[in-house]
Amino acid sequence: MNDGHALVSTLEPVLRDACRGHLSPVRWFEAIWQHGGAGTGFAEWTTARGRTIECVVKFPVGYPEYAWTKRLGLTSEEGWDAPDAVNLPTPRVLAGGFELGSYDFAWLVMERFPGVPLGAHAMDAGDIWSLFETTARFHAAAVLEQAVDSERPARSHDWEGLLERATREMDGAYLADGLDGWPDALARAREVLPDLAARWNARPIDTWCHRDVHAHNAMRRAVEDGGGRGALALIDLARVAPGCWIEDALYLERLCWGRDEVLQGVDPLMTLAKARRTQGLPAPDEDMTLADVRRVLMAATSPAFSRTQGDPMYLRAALERLERLLPTVCG
């Protein structure tokens, strides 16, 4: 048993005590996302009326993930099956806390979703639509829970440093067939970088963004009668931060550069815009122009990650977007 599992096992009785006898013994397992002794396991939660609910236990949990997961998902036993609860855009939470024994460990006991993440099987257009409808419901729920402070600094990038790194990579041995246009495109991007970075940094900060929207971070709930599709929920709220709503749409779009077929013909930006308007949230037309600024910045800096994300198909798609959009955003 490694040190991480030893700690988890040692603290399990403390965890079960904190749950006041509702939590069964936990079946801990290895997960690729675990780091530094973090524990994830399956268990059962027995309600005051004797009902058993399948659940997932996680600890330690970083504060942002703990705060947002509990803030958006805490559900009473009595309201567990209420329509609002089974349609939450994030996991329903049974219990959570800031400490275990003498350790300052945040922990969560959440609903267990059946099956595998959305992205673990072939998706259709309906799945992609559901992903962005759920993202819009997440935006709405997060803003209701805590107003976005427009003065709070949003996460940014060192675009100049990334572009310099991209140039070094493309000057090296990573040029392949179909990528020989990169040096010229990067030179043109460098000329307009200060203006584009300034425009992006001045974007409206009006949304709590998930910042990791993709199909492997989405799970469907079971449907009691076995028919239809259960509501989708976004998991892994560790990166939630203030930003502009278009960031969540463009994140998935960028992941699919060179693999457009994954999106099944669905436009992430337009779909999320429509879903947000359905939720009564703004999605102004001027943000569509701002989206092209972001696309250029992402495309121009793509070679900076070529050692770890150097798929030639992806880099060709990034180059195509850079060459096509540069005249548009600089016009």
Side-chain angles (χ1 to χ4, degrees):
M1 179 180 291
N2 61 37
D3 291 342
H5 276 178
L7 178 61
V8 164
S9 298
T10 299
L11 290 177
E12 182 177 333
V14 181
L15 170 68
R16 294 181 63 196
D17 184 63
C19 293
R20 301 181 180 181
H22 292 286
L23 188 67
S24 73
V26 183
R27 303 180 296 281
W28 302 104
F29 61 86
E30 295 281 355
I32 59 174
W33 60 82
Q34 291 174 196
H35 301 284
T40 305
F42 295 141
E44 290 78 38
W45 181 277
T46 302
T47 70
R49 296 187 176 183
R51 176 186 176 184
T52 299
I53 299 174
E54 297 287 329
C55 59
V56 172
V57 178
K58 288 183 69 174
F59 79 82
V61 178
Y63 180 75
E65 181 177 9
Y66 167 81
W68 280 107
T69 304
K70 189 173 181 183
R71 184 178 290 158
L72 298 180
L74 188 61
T75 306
S76 67
E77 292 179 354
E78 296 77 15
W80 189 255
D81 294 318
D84 286 350
V86 296
N87 285 291
L88 282 173
T90 56
R92 289 173 289 179
V93 175
L94 288 157
F98 284 112
E99 59 185 32
L100 282 175
S102 60
Y103 291 91
D104 292 328
F105 284 168
W107 54 274
L108 290 166
V109 180
M110 306 173 289
E111 68 174 301
R112 179 179 175 181
F113 296 97
V116 295
L118 185 67
H121 59 77
M123 295 183 292
D124 57 29
D127 290 323
I128 305 298
W129 269 95
S130 291
L131 181 59
F132 287 113
E133 288 169 344
T134 304
T135 302
R137 290 191 293 111
F138 166 80
H139 289 172
V143 170
L144 280 175
E145 188 63 34
Q146 181 174 327
V148 179
D149 182 358
S150 61
E151 300 301 318
R152 179 178 177 179
R155 294 180 181 178
S156 189
H157 295 284
D158 176 13
W159 297 112
E160 183 176 356
L162 287 172
L163 193 59
E164 289 178 0
R165 181 175 159 190
T167 301
R168 290 196 301 271
E169 294 295 336
M170 285 293 101
D171 283 343
Y174 293 90
L175 284 173
D177 290 343
L179 302 178
D180 53 352
W182 271 109
D184 181 60
L186 289 174
R188 285 183 284 130
R190 193 176 301 109
E191 294 175 358
V192 298
L193 180 65
D195 174 64
L196 295 183
R199 288 165 63 184
W200 176 249
N201 290 337
R203 68 194 182 280
I205 306 301
D206 55 7
T207 303
W208 288 102
C209 293
H210 182 278
R211 301 188 69 86
D212 201 13
V213 174
H214 58 78
H216 285 278
N217 271 345
M219 301 284 290
R220 283 198 185 278
R221 293 188 174 93
V223 179
E224 289 298 325
D225 61 7
R229 292 179 171 183
L232 204 63
L234 296 179
I235 61 174
D236 192 357
L237 308 185
R239 298 176 60 184
V240 174
C244 181
W245 67 273
I246 65 175
E247 295 175 62
D248 276 343
L250 296 183
Y251 183 85
L252 180 62
E253 180 187 287
R254 179 185 62 80
L255 291 179
C256 295
W257 285 357
R259 300 184 302 123
D260 294 338
E261 69 279 0
V262 173
L263 295 174
Q264 296 290 319
V266 177
D267 183 309
L269 190 65
M270 297 302 181
T271 302
L272 183 53
K274 184 173 182 178
R276 279 177 58 89
R277 290 169 183 144
T278 299
Q279 294 294 323
L281 299 174
D285 291 340
E286 53 265 29
D287 286 353
M288 305 303 172
T289 301
L290 187 60
D292 281 343
V293 171
R294 174 71 175 189
R295 289 182 177 111
V296 168
L297 290 169
M298 291 189 300
T301 55
S302 291
F305 308 99
S306 63
R307 291 181 185 270
T308 56
Q309 303 175 31
D311 180 358
M313 185 179 298
Y314 173 81
L315 290 175
R316 279 195 292 272
L319 176 60
E320 184 277 326
R321 282 164 175 79
L322 182 58
E323 292 176 329
R324 174 168 54 84
L325 294 174
L326 262 176
T328 302
V329 298
C330 298

